Amino acid sequence: MVVFNMHGLSGHRPLSFRVVRHPAQAVVLGFAGAVAVGTVLLMLPVSRTGEGGAAFVPALFTATSAVCVTGLTVVDTPTYWSGFGEAVILALIQVGGFGIMTLASLLGLLVSRRMGLRTRLTAAAETKAVGLGDVRAVVKGVVKVSLLFEAVTAVCLTIRFRFAYDESLATAAYHGVFHAVSAFNNAGFALYSDNLMGFVGDPWICLPIAVAVIAGGLGFPVLLELRRQLHAPRRWSLHTKMTVTMTAVLLAGGAVFVTVSEWRNPATLGALDTPGRLLAGFFQAVMPRTAGFNSLDYGQMHEGTLLGTNVLMFIGGGSAGTAGGIKVTTFLVLLYVVLAEVRGERSVEAFDRRIDDRVARQALSVVLLSIAAVMSATLVLLVLTDLSTDKVLFEAVSAFATVGLSTGITADLPTSGHLVLTALMFLGRLGPITLVSALALHERQRLYELPEGRPIIG
């Protein structure tokens, strides 16, 4: 936050004004600026393989998808964009992913500074990851974690591309770096026209990408704490316990669900051998967390599989990371709220900790507003197109949760539909962060209470 003080010579009170009134405004303006710059760069003739530059809407859509680390595309990335255009997309992905992790962590620090000293000390002791005000350490930690996972993944992919697929060293390295950055930042952009369907049975490609996706989706605070307390889970903070537990449950449950649902589908898993089915089932359970790579054709999946994938995409990954969705902690908090209400308990407890009522209200606000955004966009897209509800809903959830998975209808949507998805991607990426930070920083104490009322529920 920038503050200017102007002192008059006559001793009058200093005049203060703030350039940015709220941290959430800086987040929105920063990402909007990145999208604008990316759009301009992608519209340059040098960014396209054909003659002339890209049109405004495809450039805007691609830039938004890259900055918001979504992965939805309206044009074929490896054939439509030149090497320069692909480099712009890669840079936008890195800026979007790194910026989100950094800004989310810094907003967490900012919120902690607005609390009382005792609450701040309690939060510091609880998290054991982020101190009260060491912003420089936070930024350095994000950079180190990002580069480490991206470098290791890039090396693994480069070796595989070079020796198993006979790509030149330069091409293998380029593909390795691009997909490593795209994976850790949960972007889902690929340099192959069929995404990763050509590697559906290759564990040396799928597993490194899956690990990078999971790591990026856990979130920086969790990664930092796991590095320090990996072998002492009892000492983990509540946030880490909730994130790791829910991530493991969703990965295992998602893998079983996709594998069983598509096991006999000849257009997806049915065409593979048993090891290939298990690998592809696990891979497609990881991607809704929210990376957007696909080794199977989602357009050929059963409607039940698409509906289950919608749930996985909507929940998303961990907070203060590169994943989208409402976040696993938000979902788990509401789950504990329901359990407490069913049991008739007055307080909500999770992992031997009491969940603050304000946190529960914030979680409920995020979920309801997210549902409203997805449903509104789905209705608009249904009016604009003649597509089936299941495919349109899948597209809307994928855009809002910044996943990037698609049944193949993205490019077929009208220009107005592309603009709806563009707005949905931007809202989905920045909405939860700005909303929660705004709610936390806007806390105020009322000096009176109104009489209690009990409307009939249900």
Side-chain angles (χ1 to χ4, degrees), residues 145-184:
V145 168
S146 300
L147 295 183
L148 174 62
F149 277 98
E150 290 173 357
V152 173
T153 306
V155 170
C156 295
L157 295 179
T158 298
I159 294 175
R160 189 61 176 173
F161 286 140
R162 175 68 182 89
F163 295 103
Y165 297 95
D166 200 28
E167 294 184 356
S168 65
L169 181 58
T171 301
Y174 174 60
H175 285 181
V177 171
F178 189 98
H179 291 92
V181 173
S182 183
F184 180 75

CSV table of all heavy atoms in Angstrom, one decimal, residues 145-184:
chain,number,residue,atom,x,y,z
A,145,VAL,N,11.1,-22.6,-4.0
A,145,VAL,CA,10.2,-23.8,-4.1
A,145,VAL,C,9.8,-23.9,-5.6
A,145,VAL,O,9.8,-25.0,-6.2
A,145,VAL,CB,9.0,-23.6,-3.2
A,145,VAL,CG1,7.9,-24.7,-3.6
A,145,VAL,CG2,9.4,-23.8,-1.8
A,146,SER,N,9.4,-22.8,-6.2
A,146,SER,CA,9.0,-22.9,-7.6
A,146,SER,C,10.1,-23.4,-8.5
A,146,SER,O,9.9,-24.3,-9.3
A,146,SER,CB,8.5,-21.5,-8.1
A,146,SER,OG,7.4,-21.0,-7.3
A,147,LEU,N,11.2,-22.8,-8.5
A,147,LEU,CA,12.3,-23.1,-9.3
A,147,LEU,C,12.8,-24.5,-9.1
A,147,LEU,O,13.2,-25.2,-10.0
A,147,LEU,CB,13.5,-22.1,-9.2
A,147,LEU,CG,13.2,-20.7,-9.6
A,147,LEU,CD1,14.4,-19.8,-9.4
A,147,LEU,CD2,12.7,-20.6,-11.0
A,148,LEU,N,12.8,-25.0,-7.8
A,148,LEU,CA,13.2,-26.3,-7.5
A,148,LEU,C,12.4,-27.4,-8.2
A,148,LEU,O,12.9,-28.3,-8.9
A,148,LEU,CB,13.3,-26.6,-6.0
A,148,LEU,CG,13.6,-28.0,-5.6
A,148,LEU,CD1,15.0,-28.4,-6.0
A,148,LEU,CD2,13.4,-28.1,-4.1
A,149,PHE,N,11.1,-27.3,-8.0
A,149,PHE,CA,10.2,-28.3,-8.6
A,149,PHE,C,10.2,-28.2,-10.1
A,149,PHE,O,10.1,-29.2,-10.8
A,149,PHE,CB,8.7,-28.1,-8.1
A,149,PHE,CG,8.5,-28.7,-6.7
A,149,PHE,CD1,8.6,-28.0,-5.6
A,149,PHE,CD2,8.2,-30.1,-6.7
A,149,PHE,CE1,8.4,-28.6,-4.3
A,149,PHE,CE2,8.0,-30.7,-5.5
A,149,PHE,CZ,8.1,-30.0,-4.3
A,150,GLU,N,10.2,-27.0,-10.7
A,150,GLU,CA,10.2,-26.8,-12.1
A,150,GLU,C,11.5,-27.4,-12.7
A,150,GLU,O,11.5,-28.0,-13.8
A,150,GLU,CB,10.1,-25.3,-12.5
A,150,GLU,CG,8.7,-24.8,-12.2
A,150,GLU,CD,8.6,-23.3,-12.4
A,150,GLU,OE1,9.6,-22.7,-12.7
A,150,GLU,OE2,7.5,-22.7,-12.2
A,151,ALA,N,12.6,-27.2,-12.1
A,151,ALA,CA,13.9,-27.7,-12.6
A,151,ALA,C,14.0,-29.2,-12.6
A,151,ALA,O,14.4,-29.8,-13.6
A,151,ALA,CB,15.1,-27.1,-11.8
A,152,VAL,N,13.6,-29.8,-11.5
A,152,VAL,CA,13.6,-31.2,-11.4
A,152,VAL,C,12.7,-31.9,-12.4
A,152,VAL,O,13.0,-32.8,-13.1
A,152,VAL,CB,13.2,-31.7,-9.9
A,152,VAL,CG1,13.1,-33.2,-9.9
A,152,VAL,CG2,14.3,-31.2,-8.9
A,153,THR,N,11.5,-31.3,-12.5
A,153,THR,CA,10.5,-31.9,-13.5
A,153,THR,C,11.0,-31.7,-14.9
A,153,THR,O,10.9,-32.6,-15.8
A,153,THR,CB,9.2,-31.2,-13.3
A,153,THR,OG1,8.7,-31.3,-12.0
A,153,THR,CG2,8.1,-31.8,-14.2
A,154,ALA,N,11.6,-30.5,-15.2
A,154,ALA,CA,12.2,-30.3,-16.5
A,154,ALA,C,13.3,-31.2,-16.9
A,154,ALA,O,13.3,-31.7,-18.1
A,154,ALA,CB,12.7,-28.8,-16.6
A,155,VAL,N,14.1,-31.5,-16.0
A,155,VAL,CA,15.2,-32.5,-16.2
A,155,VAL,C,14.6,-33.9,-16.6
A,155,VAL,O,15.1,-34.5,-17.5
A,155,VAL,CB,16.2,-32.6,-15.0
A,155,VAL,CG1,17.2,-33.7,-15.2
A,155,VAL,CG2,16.9,-31.3,-14.9
A,156,CYS,N,13.7,-34.3,-15.8
A,156,CYS,CA,13.1,-35.6,-16.0
A,156,CYS,C,12.4,-35.7,-17.4
A,156,CYS,O,12.6,-36.7,-18.1
A,156,CYS,CB,12.1,-36.0,-14.9
A,156,CYS,SG,12.8,-36.1,-13.3
A,157,LEU,N,11.7,-34.7,-17.7
A,157,LEU,CA,11.0,-34.7,-19.0
A,157,LEU,C,11.9,-34.5,-20.2
A,157,LEU,O,11.8,-35.2,-21.2
A,157,LEU,CB,10.0,-33.5,-19.0
A,157,LEU,CG,8.8,-33.6,-18.0
A,157,LEU,CD1,7.9,-32.4,-18.2
A,157,LEU,CD2,8.0,-34.9,-18.2
A,158,THR,N,13.0,-33.7,-20.0
A,158,THR,CA,14.0,-33.6,-21.1
A,158,THR,C,14.6,-34.9,-21.4
A,158,THR,O,14.8,-35.2,-22.6
A,158,THR,CB,15.0,-32.5,-20.7
A,158,THR,OG1,14.3,-31.3,-20.5
A,158,THR,CG2,16.1,-32.4,-21.8
A,159,ILE,N,15.0,-35.6,-20.4
A,159,ILE,CA,15.7,-36.9,-20.6
A,159,ILE,C,14.8,-37.8,-21.4
A,159,ILE,O,15.2,-38.6,-22.3
A,159,ILE,CB,16.2,-37.5,-19.3
A,159,ILE,CG1,17.3,-36.6,-18.7
A,159,ILE,CG2,16.7,-38.9,-19.5
A,159,ILE,CD1,17.7,-37.1,-17.3
A,160,ARG,N,13.5,-37.9,-20.9
A,160,ARG,CA,12.6,-38.8,-21.6
A,160,ARG,C,12.3,-38.4,-23.0
A,160,ARG,O,12.2,-39.2,-23.9
A,160,ARG,CB,11.3,-38.8,-20.8
A,160,ARG,CG,10.3,-39.9,-21.2
A,160,ARG,CD,10.8,-41.3,-21.1
A,160,ARG,NE,9.9,-42.3,-21.4
A,160,ARG,CZ,10.1,-43.6,-21.5
A,160,ARG,NH1,11.4,-44.0,-21.2
A,160,ARG,NH2,9.2,-44.5,-21.8
A,161,PHE,N,12.0,-37.1,-23.3
A,161,PHE,CA,11.8,-36.6,-24.6
A,161,PHE,C,13.0,-36.9,-25.5
A,161,PHE,O,12.8,-37.3,-26.7
A,161,PHE,CB,11.5,-35.1,-24.6
A,161,PHE,CG,10.1,-34.8,-24.1
A,161,PHE,CD1,10.0,-33.7,-23.3
A,161,PHE,CD2,9.0,-35.5,-24.4
A,161,PHE,CE1,8.7,-33.3,-22.8
A,161,PHE,CE2,7.8,-35.2,-23.9
A,161,PHE,CZ,7.6,-34.1,-23.1
A,162,ARG,N,14.2,-36.8,-25.0
A,162,ARG,CA,15.4,-36.9,-25.8
A,162,ARG,C,15.7,-38.4,-26.2
A,162,ARG,O,15.9,-38.7,-27.4
A,162,ARG,CB,16.6,-36.4,-25.0
A,162,ARG,CG,17.9,-36.6,-25.7
A,162,ARG,CD,18.1,-35.7,-27.0
A,162,ARG,NE,19.3,-36.0,-27.7
A,162,ARG,CZ,19.5,-36.9,-28.6
A,162,ARG,NH1,18.5,-37.7,-28.9
A,162,ARG,NH2,20.7,-37.0,-29.2
A,163,PHE,N,15.6,-39.3,-25.3
A,163,PHE,CA,16.0,-40.6,-25.5
A,163,PHE,C,14.9,-41.6,-25.9
A,163,PHE,O,15.1,-42.6,-26.5
A,163,PHE,CB,16.8,-41.2,-24.3
A,163,PHE,CG,18.1,-40.5,-24.1
A,163,PHE,CD1,18.2,-39.5,-23.0
A,163,PHE,CD2,19.2,-40.7,-24.9
A,163,PHE,CE1,19.3,-38.8,-22.8
A,163,PHE,CE2,20.4,-40.0,-24.6
A,163,PHE,CZ,20.5,-39.1,-23.6
A,164,ALA,N,13.6,-41.3,-25.5
A,164,ALA,CA,12.5,-42.2,-25.8
A,164,ALA,C,11.7,-41.8,-27.0
A,164,ALA,O,11.1,-42.6,-27.6
A,164,ALA,CB,11.6,-42.3,-24.6
A,165,TYR,N,11.8,-40.5,-27.3
A,165,TYR,CA,11.0,-40.0,-28.5
A,165,TYR,C,11.9,-39.3,-29.5
A,165,TYR,O,11.4,-38.6,-30.4
A,165,TYR,CB,9.9,-39.0,-28.0
A,165,TYR,CG,9.0,-39.7,-27.0
A,165,TYR,CD1,9.1,-39.6,-25.7
A,165,TYR,CD2,7.9,-40.4,-27.5
A,165,TYR,CE1,8.2,-40.2,-24.8
A,165,TYR,CE2,7.0,-41.0,-26.7
A,165,TYR,CZ,7.2,-40.9,-25.3
A,165,TYR,OH,6.3,-41.6,-24.5
A,166,ASP,N,13.2,-39.5,-29.4
A,166,ASP,CA,14.1,-39.1,-30.5
A,166,ASP,C,14.0,-37.6,-30.8
A,166,ASP,O,14.2,-37.3,-32.0
A,166,ASP,CB,13.9,-40.0,-31.7
A,166,ASP,CG,15.2,-40.0,-32.6
A,166,ASP,OD1,16.3,-39.8,-32.1
A,166,ASP,OD2,15.0,-40.1,-33.8
A,167,GLU,N,13.7,-36.8,-29.8
A,167,GLU,CA,13.7,-35.4,-30.1
A,167,GLU,C,15.2,-34.8,-29.9
A,167,GLU,O,16.0,-35.4,-29.2
A,167,GLU,CB,12.8,-34.6,-29.1
A,167,GLU,CG,11.3,-35.0,-29.3
A,167,GLU,CD,10.4,-34.2,-28.4
A,167,GLU,OE1,11.0,-33.4,-27.5
A,167,GLU,OE2,9.2,-34.3,-28.4
A,168,SER,N,15.5,-33.8,-30.6
A,168,SER,CA,16.8,-33.2,-30.5
A,168,SER,C,17.0,-32.6,-29.1
A,168,SER,O,16.0,-32.4,-28.4
A,168,SER,CB,17.0,-32.1,-31.5
A,168,SER,OG,16.1,-31.0,-31.3
A,169,LEU,N,18.2,-32.5,-28.6
A,169,LEU,CA,18.4,-32.0,-27.3
A,169,LEU,C,17.8,-30.6,-27.0
A,169,LEU,O,17.2,-30.4,-26.0
A,169,LEU,CB,19.9,-31.9,-27.0
A,169,LEU,CG,20.3,-31.4,-25.6
A,169,LEU,CD1,19.7,-32.4,-24.5
A,169,LEU,CD2,21.8,-31.3,-25.4
A,170,ALA,N,17.9,-29.8,-28.0
A,170,ALA,CA,17.3,-28.4,-27.9
A,170,ALA,C,15.7,-28.5,-27.8
A,170,ALA,O,15.1,-27.9,-26.9
A,170,ALA,CB,17.7,-27.5,-29.0
A,171,THR,N,15.1,-29.3,-28.7
A,171,THR,CA,13.7,-29.5,-28.6
A,171,THR,C,13.2,-30.2,-27.4
A,171,THR,O,12.2,-29.8,-26.7
A,171,THR,CB,13.2,-30.3,-29.8
A,171,THR,OG1,13.6,-29.6,-31.1
A,171,THR,CG2,11.7,-30.4,-29.8
A,172,ALA,N,13.9,-31.2,-26.9
A,172,ALA,CA,13.6,-31.9,-25.7
A,172,ALA,C,13.7,-31.0,-24.5
A,172,ALA,O,12.8,-31.0,-23.6
A,172,ALA,CB,14.5,-33.1,-25.5
A,173,ALA,N,14.7,-30.2,-24.4
A,173,ALA,CA,14.9,-29.3,-23.3
A,173,ALA,C,13.8,-28.2,-23.3
A,173,ALA,O,13.2,-27.9,-22.2
A,173,ALA,CB,16.3,-28.6,-23.4
A,174,TYR,N,13.5,-27.7,-24.5
A,174,TYR,CA,12.4,-26.7,-24.6
A,174,TYR,C,11.1,-27.3,-24.1
A,174,TYR,O,10.3,-26.7,-23.4
A,174,TYR,CB,12.3,-26.2,-26.0
A,174,TYR,CG,11.2,-25.2,-26.3
A,174,TYR,CD1,11.1,-24.0,-25.6
A,174,TYR,CD2,10.2,-25.5,-27.2
A,174,TYR,CE1,10.0,-23.2,-25.8
A,174,TYR,CE2,9.1,-24.7,-27.4
A,174,TYR,CZ,9.0,-23.5,-26.7
A,174,TYR,OH,8.0,-22.7,-27.0
A,175,HIS,N,10.7,-28.5,-24.7
A,175,HIS,CA,9.5,-29.1,-24.3
A,175,HIS,C,9.5,-29.5,-22.8
A,175,HIS,O,8.5,-29.4,-22.1
A,175,HIS,CB,9.3,-30.4,-25.1
A,175,HIS,CG,8.9,-30.1,-26.5
A,175,HIS,ND1,8.6,-31.1,-27.4
A,175,HIS,CD2,8.7,-28.9,-27.2
A,175,HIS,CE1,8.2,-30.6,-28.6
A,175,HIS,NE2,8.3,-29.2,-28.4
A,176,GLY,N,10.6,-29.9,-22.3
A,176,GLY,CA,10.7,-30.2,-20.9
A,176,GLY,C,10.5,-29.0,-20.0
A,176,GLY,O,9.7,-29.1,-19.0
A,177,VAL,N,11.1,-27.9,-20.3
A,177,VAL,CA,11.0,-26.7,-19.5
A,177,VAL,C,9.5,-26.2,-19.6
A,177,VAL,O,8.9,-25.8,-18.6
A,177,VAL,CB,12.0,-25.6,-19.9
A,177,VAL,CG1,11.6,-24.3,-19.3
A,177,VAL,CG2,13.4,-26.0,-19.6
A,178,PHE,N,9.0,-26.1,-20.8
A,178,PHE,CA,7.6,-25.6,-21.0
A,178,PHE,C,6.6,-26.4,-20.2
A,178,PHE,O,5.8,-25.8,-19.4
A,178,PHE,CB,7.3,-25.6,-22.5
A,178,PHE,CG,6.0,-24.9,-22.8
A,178,PHE,CD1,6.0,-23.6,-23.3
A,178,PHE,CD2,4.7,-25.5,-22.6
A,178,PHE,CE1,4.8,-22.9,-23.6
A,178,PHE,CE2,3.5,-24.8,-22.9
A,178,PHE,CZ,3.6,-23.6,-23.4
A,179,HIS,N,6.7,-27.7,-20.3
A,179,HIS,CA,5.7,-28.5,-19.6
A,179,HIS,C,5.9,-28.6,-18.1
A,179,HIS,O,4.9,-28.7,-17.3
A,179,HIS,CB,5.7,-30.0,-20.2
A,179,HIS,CG,5.1,-30.0,-21.6
A,179,HIS,ND1,6.0,-29.9,-22.7
A,179,HIS,CD2,3.9,-30.1,-22.1
A,179,HIS,CE1,5.2,-30.0,-23.8
A,179,HIS,NE2,3.9,-30.1,-23.5
A,180,ALA,N,7.2,-28.4,-17.7
A,180,ALA,CA,7.4,-28.4,-16.2
A,180,ALA,C,6.9,-27.1,-15.6
A,180,ALA,O,6.2,-27.2,-14.5
A,180,ALA,CB,8.9,-28.4,-16.0
A,181,VAL,N,7.1,-26.0,-16.3
A,181,VAL,CA,6.5,-24.7,-15.8
A,181,VAL,C,5.0,-24.8,-15.8
A,181,VAL,O,4.3,-24.4,-14.9
A,181,VAL,CB,7.0,-23.5,-16.6
A,181,VAL,CG1,6.3,-22.3,-16.2
A,181,VAL,CG2,8.5,-23.4,-16.4
A,182,SER,N,4.4,-25.3,-16.9
A,182,SER,CA,3.0,-25.4,-17.0
A,182,SER,C,2.4,-26.3,-16.0
A,182,SER,O,1.3,-26.1,-15.4
A,182,SER,CB,2.6,-25.9,-18.4
A,182,SER,OG,1.2,-25.9,-18.6
A,183,ALA,N,3.1,-27.4,-15.6
A,183,ALA,CA,2.6,-28.4,-14.6
A,183,ALA,C,2.7,-27.8,-13.2
A,183,ALA,O,1.7,-27.8,-12.5
A,183,ALA,CB,3.4,-29.7,-14.7
A,184,PHE,N,3.8,-27.3,-12.8
A,184,PHE,CA,3.9,-26.8,-11.4
A,184,PHE,C,3.0,-25.6,-11.2
A,184,PHE,O,2.4,-25.5,-10.1
A,184,PHE,CB,5.3,-26.4,-11.1
A,184,PHE,CG,5.5,-25.9,-9.7
A,184,PHE,CD1,5.5,-26.7,-8.6
A,184,PHE,CD2,5.6,-24.5,-9.4
A,184,PHE,CE1,5.6,-26.3,-7.3
A,184,PHE,CE2,5.7,-24.0,-8.1
A,184,PHE,CZ,5.7,-24.9,-7.1
